[in-house]
Amino acid sequence: MKNVMGIIMSGGRNTKLKELSTIRSSPAVPVGGKYRAIDFVLSNMVNSGITNIGVITQYSFRSLMDHLGSGKEWDLDRKTDGLFLFPPFLSDEGTGWYRGTADAMYNNLTFLKRSNEEYVLIAQGNCIFTTTFDDMLRAHKEKEADITVAYREMNDIPMEELSNMGIMQLDSSSRVIDFQEKPMHPNTLNGSLGIYMIKRELLIALLEESVAHGYYDFVLDIIIKMLHKLKIYGYKYNGYWRSMSTVQMYYKCNMDLLDPAVNNELLGNLKIYTKVKDEAPAKYNEEAEVKNSIIADGCIIEGTVENSVLFRGVTVKRGAVVKDSIIMQGSIIEEDSALNYAILDKNVILSRNKCLKGEKSWPIIIGKNVIV
């Protein structure tokens, strides 16, 4: 796919991730013991042969930029093409804040105009899935589509989560005949993945026309308003997919990774690249008891861990019991403490004899650097 460039949107402010997104954008949330959410879509693009990729950021982007760096881990630190980061900037014409996804791309139009690829793949940075985009490009060409939108039958997603998504209705030829953005009552299970294939020149023209008329959102002001004017087709994706859009989806995705079938689909076939940090292997003392869990390097386990995801450098001391929880880098569970259905951000200390218990449908969240 040398003829395709990539644009990754980091999204706007997400309050539905609660404390997890107060210091970081949703593409930067840690997932699966050692990854960040953006690793998946970025690796998918690289595995597809896309080498010219721009990441457009807005809210709380420092953590994301620190993680991506020069793009070395994704082999994108190169003289031609590579990884480009576009945070908002203050100018005479604007405040620096993007007014929507179309406005965000329009403010970085130079990146599009200076690129030479014929096609652009636009994707969201906070979704967990593994694929290559070759088949989507083939379908886009065969249909002679103006825009191709990837979608999935969301029969494993709760109805309340569907109300946070774009819902599509297609005819027998897969042409999109209706597109509802975050409907209160979805009329189909065909949820948009926020992945679009479009010719670069057409994208530039649509962005210029849209912003000139005071329209700033790619879905609301371009796709939905031009549904009957442009040839917009759907491309069905059948694999595992989760969006890190709410606490419930974040928790479920991490727990899903404990399922060998899901873990193998996401991490067993195509390589997911991430920022590498050298750590000693996890250390298990004689008292340690670990069942069905992901334990990252640098962890020290002296207590009990079940059905949980532990990131780098977590310490579970003697007598402590951790079940159905997610514990991020550097956190310490002191002796004789208990944790159940909880999400601990980085460097949290759960003091001795303390007990925290959430619910499976609403896990308790402890923010970064908190001592309980």
Side-chain angles (χ1 to χ4, degrees), residues 88-245:
F89 59 93
L90 185 65
S91 67
D92 292 339
E93 290 79 25
T95 63
W97 291 105
Y98 304 137
R99 290 164 286 189
T101 47
D103 189 43
M105 289 189 278
Y106 178 81
N107 273 277
N108 296 287
L109 211 56
T110 305
F111 174 57
L112 283 167
K113 289 185 173 179
R114 286 181 178 175
S115 299
N116 298 312
E117 290 82 358
E118 185 177 3
Y119 297 95
V120 182
L121 180 73
I122 304 167
Q124 309 305 309
N126 65 341
C127 299
I128 308 302
F129 65 110
T130 304
T131 190
T132 56
F133 298 106
D134 308 71
D135 196 51
M136 184 178 178
L137 177 61
R138 179 192 55 74
H140 180 78
K141 290 179 178 177
E142 285 181 357
K143 296 284 186 182
E144 297 182 345
D146 292 318
I147 302 175
T148 297
V149 186
Y151 73 98
R152 178 177 177 272
E153 192 171 340
M154 301 290 181
N155 47 18
D156 56 350
I157 302 289
M159 188 57 70
E160 57 269 24
E161 296 291 345
L162 288 181
S163 298
N164 296 318
M165 303 174 63
I167 302 298
M168 299 160 52
Q169 193 171 352
L170 299 91
D171 65 13
S172 58
S173 68
S174 297
R175 184 161 181 169
V176 181
I177 56 175
D178 190 26
F179 195 118
Q180 297 177 312
E181 179 68 349
K182 301 178 181 177
M184 189 170 293
H185 303 290
N187 54 9
T188 77
L189 293 176
N190 296 328
S192 167
L193 306 187
I195 303 171
Y196 314 98
M197 186 74 74
I198 183 174
K199 282 192 173 180
R200 183 174 58 88
E201 294 293 341
L202 175 59
L203 176 61
I204 292 171
L206 290 173
L207 292 174
E208 289 179 335
E209 180 182 346
S210 180
V211 173
H213 286 86
Y215 302 137
Y216 303 109
D217 191 89
F218 185 72
V219 172
L220 295 175
D221 298 323
I222 293 180
I223 288 185
I224 293 178
K225 285 183 177 175
M226 297 189 177
L227 203 57
H228 302 292
K229 182 179 178 181
L230 298 173
K231 291 186 292 183
I232 302 177
Y233 283 86
Y235 170 78
K236 190 172 185 180
Y237 173 72
N238 293 313
Y240 180 91
W241 178 92
R242 292 287 183 273
S243 170
M244 301 292 96
S245 53

Side-chain angles (χ1 to χ4, degrees), residues 255-268 292:
M255 292 299 109
D256 285 348
L257 279 165
L258 301 178
D259 181 339
V262 174
N263 192 292
N264 186 59
E265 179 182 338
L266 285 175
L267 305 172
N292 191 37

Side-chain angles (χ1 to χ4, degrees), residues 17-24 29 250 328 343 345 365:
L17 279 171
K18 305 298 179 183
E19 289 87 344
L20 300 178
S21 60
T22 55
I23 57 169
R24 58 173 80 88
V29 293
Y250 174 79
M328 296 186 194
I343 302 172
D345 208 323
I365 302 175

Side-chain angles (χ1 to χ4, degrees), residues 358-371:
E359 300 289 336
K360 186 176 183 179
S361 59
W362 195 264
I364 190 169
I365 302 175
I366 305 298
K368 186 178 178 180
N369 298 326
V370 171
I371 299 175

